Amino acid sequence: MNDAREIDPVHAEFEQPMRLALAEARLAMDDGDVPVGAVVLDATGQVIAAGHNERELTADPTAHAEVVALRAAAARLGGWRLAGCTLVVTLEPCTMCAGAAVLARVERIVYGAVDLKAGAVGSLWDVVRDRRLNHRPEVIAEVLAEECGAVLTEFFARRRAG
């Protein structure tokens, strides 16, 4: 990451929520799941929900961190429309999660590590910016990208070694 990005105020604004998402990611790793974590912020920037990958724990292929956090946010707010909310996630969302964020009408997606194999927020696909959709969230990429990537690297290194 370049020095300009490290002092970028937009990225700095989301460092603390991303650290909370990283803590969620570590919980997934403790459960033997790929360490991805997410938090949802309301329009004031307050955390209203959190989640981490639970696919192994629940045997649910849709239990990605983003979906878990979006479901919790909707339950907390009492409705599926998450207008004004920000989804903060440690790894660039896949097509399912990017689609879920669009359908939930989140205002913004903030992610850490780029996912060149399955990323759908600009890397492999760009679901959230497809002009054919009626809602396109703002995207802020690579917040604490190195730290987010390091958790994933550690997880897969342990898995290969063990």
Side-chain angles (χ1 to χ4, degrees):
M1 185 178 325
N2 64 36
D3 290 338
R5 173 136 323 143
E6 290 176 353
I7 59 171
D8 178 347
V10 173
H11 280 74
E13 176 184 352
F14 293 105
E15 281 188 15
Q16 185 56 33
M18 187 62 77
R19 291 194 190 289
L20 296 173
L22 276 164
E24 285 289 325
R26 289 182 186 95
L27 293 173
M29 187 163 32
D30 292 346
D31 290 334
D33 216 322
V34 177
V36 178
V39 297
V40 177
L41 311 175
D42 68 11
T44 69
Q46 298 299 307
V47 175
I48 59 168
H52 55 274
N53 274 357
E54 296 180 355
R55 292 179 307 167
E56 299 298 331
L57 184 66
T58 62
D60 178 355
T62 68
H64 288 205
E66 300 95 324
V67 172
V68 172
L70 290 170
R71 286 177 179 157
R76 173 127 185 229
L77 295 177
W80 62 268
R81 288 178 187 87
L82 301 180
C85 290
T86 298
L87 173 65
V88 180
V89 59
T90 58
L91 180 65
E92 179 182 358
C94 68
T95 53
M96 176 182 68
C97 295
V102 168
L103 293 173
R105 310 292 195 269
V106 299
E107 181 176 324
R108 180 180 307 107
I109 298 171
V110 177
Y111 71 85
V114 172
D115 186 350
L116 297 174
K117 293 181 179 180
V121 186
S123 293
L124 189 57
W125 296 286
D126 202 351
V127 171
V128 299
R129 292 187 195 107
D130 189 319
R131 293 190 134 340
R132 296 169 292 184
L133 298 174
N134 67 344
H135 179 74
R136 290 182 296 280
E138 174 188 7
V139 175
I140 299 171
E142 298 185 64
V143 173
L144 299 179
E146 289 180 27
E147 289 180 49
C148 293
V151 173
L152 290 159
T153 300
E154 175 188 345
F155 174 80
F156 287 111
R158 283 185 191 174
R159 182 177 268 182
R160 283 188 297 273

